[in-house]
Amino acid sequence: MAATSGIRWGRKEDERWAAAFTLRLVTEFRPPKGLVDQVLSEVHETVAETGRPAKDLFGEPGAYAACVAADRIDETHTSGRNLQGATPGEQFTDALVMAGLGALVLFAMRWIRDGIWTQVSPASLAGTVLLAACVLAGCLTVALRTAGRVRAAWVCASAAVVMVVAGIAALSALPHAGLFTLPAPVPVALSAAVMASAHRLPDATADRWFARRRSQDSAQWMRRLDGQLRGPHGTPAHQAREHVAEVRSHLASAPDSTAQDEFGDVEAYAAGLAGGPRRTRRALRRKAHAAVIFAAVVAVANLDALRSAEVTSLWFWSGALAVSLALGYAAVQYRNSRHQR
């Protein structure tokens, strides 16, 4: 019998349950090291003692993973991490890896379609440069939001939108006549280099790029609390303001104390406030929103191909498939979030 996390299960259905539980817990909640093995050992022991299937004892694997995350992943682990358990550096490097992979696929498809040499026009050159800048701004946006720097994240997101508009304008206004020819493997190699470099970049190094300088100032502490609640933890703005108002009211009654003295580390305090059963719901909603944004970006990037609706075009079907899958994923995540209490 195949093993799951080093455990041999007596029944295939228990093995499938353990695999589904592990997948849900790891991909959605990013638990501390060793928690998966610990929980599966407990489940295996109970299954062996009772002789009953894991599903009968612990319920659906996805639901049990959510319960384990709520009960055993505390603010010590979630502080400084977003709803998916990622740090700012992890978000940035992961986003760059995905961007490099996407660019590699697109340039490889163009290589297959156009051959070894590709014509570069002023329009395509400007559009590519602006799209690359837009993608970088998007990577910075998710990292800054995870770091709790909400205003800076909005600035980067706005810059990304401006670059998209500028790219569309460049494609429409600039000449499409060939400026020079470029070997198709060159952009493919550059995309692979971006992906490999981002993968090799230590997350801790990237984390330091987005970290804020520590301060004993209570006003700054409260601004960071607001950013931590609204950014990585996805708390609605009005609830974040209420929590900040409670801290301010408490400090007003103890003028000789600072927020750091009274409430401790701001990231741990924010994680404690944002925890609870609604955390999973916010995580699912954020995934749905991200999928919708991805679908919109793909639709804009493939606007001409989608608008032409040429059924023989590889670009049309790849764009249509990507948009459909993203919207379908968003619908599933939103539906699941409605079942969370």
Side-chain angles (χ1 to χ4, degrees):
M1 189 74 67
T4 302
S5 295
I7 298 174
R8 299 182 68 85
W9 300 88
R11 285 183 290 258
K12 274 287 187 182
E13 60 180 306
D14 291 335
E15 183 182 335
R16 289 192 294 269
W17 187 97
F21 165 82
T22 302
L23 180 65
R24 176 76 187 277
L25 188 63
V26 171
T27 57
E28 292 200 7
F29 303 104
R30 298 199 183 188
K33 186 177 181 180
L35 180 60
V36 173
D37 290 342
Q38 179 184 346
V39 174
L40 287 179
S41 295
E42 296 169 0
V43 171
H44 182 267
E45 182 179 352
T46 305
V47 167
E49 288 177 355
T50 61
R52 297 174 59 190
K55 185 175 181 180
D56 293 347
L57 294 169
F58 300 95
E60 293 293 334
Y64 188 63
C67 291
V68 168
D71 293 340
R72 303 200 190 185
I73 302 179
D74 58 19
E75 59 269 18
T76 302
H77 178 69
T78 57
S79 62
R81 299 175 179 268
N82 63 9
L83 292 171
Q84 284 71 50
T87 66
E90 291 170 346
Q91 282 287 88
F92 183 68
T93 55
D94 289 351
L96 274 182
V97 167
M98 293 306 298
L101 177 61
L104 187 149
V105 171
L106 289 175
F107 286 126
M109 289 173 61
R110 186 162 186 174
W111 182 359
I112 295 171
R113 187 191 68 177
D114 298 339
I116 191 67
W117 294 98
T118 184
Q119 290 287 332
V120 179
S121 66
S124 63
L125 180 60
T128 301
V129 170
L130 287 169
L131 179 60
C134 173
V135 170
L136 179 59
C139 295
L140 290 171
T141 298
V142 295
L144 287 167
R145 188 171 181 84
T146 301
R149 303 174 68 172
V150 179
R151 290 184 180 178
W154 274 112
V155 170
C156 285
S158 301
V161 172
V162 170
M163 291 171 193
V164 169
V165 174
I168 295 174
L171 290 173
S172 301
L174 294 178
H176 287 265
L179 189 61
F180 58 88
T181 57
L182 184 72
V186 170
V188 173
L190 289 175
S191 302
V194 169
M195 185 171 60
S197 299
H199 179 70
R200 292 178 60 86
L201 177 67
D203 293 327
T205 300
D207 280 334
R208 289 195 292 271
W209 296 348
F210 303 99
R212 280 182 168 176
R213 184 172 56 86
R214 300 283 178 174
S215 173
Q216 293 293 324
D217 181 66
S218 294
Q220 184 176 358
W221 191 97
M222 287 185 283
R223 286 194 296 271
R224 291 187 61 196
L225 174 63
D226 179 76
Q228 285 291 315
L229 290 172
R230 293 169 56 194
H233 299 296
T235 304
H238 70 278
Q239 292 183 10
R241 287 194 295 268
E242 289 174 0
H243 289 306
V244 173
E246 291 173 0
V247 171
R248 185 178 291 109
S249 176
H250 179 86
L251 292 177
S253 62
D256 295 332
S257 299
T258 65
Q260 181 73 28
D261 296 335
E262 292 292 315
F263 301 99
D265 180 72
V266 64
E267 293 180 348
Y269 185 70
L273 290 176
R278 292 187 178 181
R279 181 179 176 84
T280 302
R281 182 178 182 182
R282 293 197 303 271
L284 294 172
R285 289 285 178 90
R286 180 165 287 189
K287 285 186 175 183
H289 296 160
V292 171
I293 293 173
F294 174 78
V297 171
V298 172
V300 170
N302 295 272
L303 187 60
D304 290 338
L306 294 173
R307 190 166 50 189
S308 66
E310 294 182 9
V311 294
T312 59
S313 170
L314 179 62
W315 292 101
F316 168 76
W317 285 112
S318 60
L321 179 63
V323 171
S324 300
L325 290 176
L327 292 178
Y329 178 81
V332 169
Q333 298 303 315
Y334 183 77
R335 183 193 63 192
N336 291 341
S337 73
R338 299 184 64 181
H339 298 296
Q340 299 295 325
R341 297 291 182 183

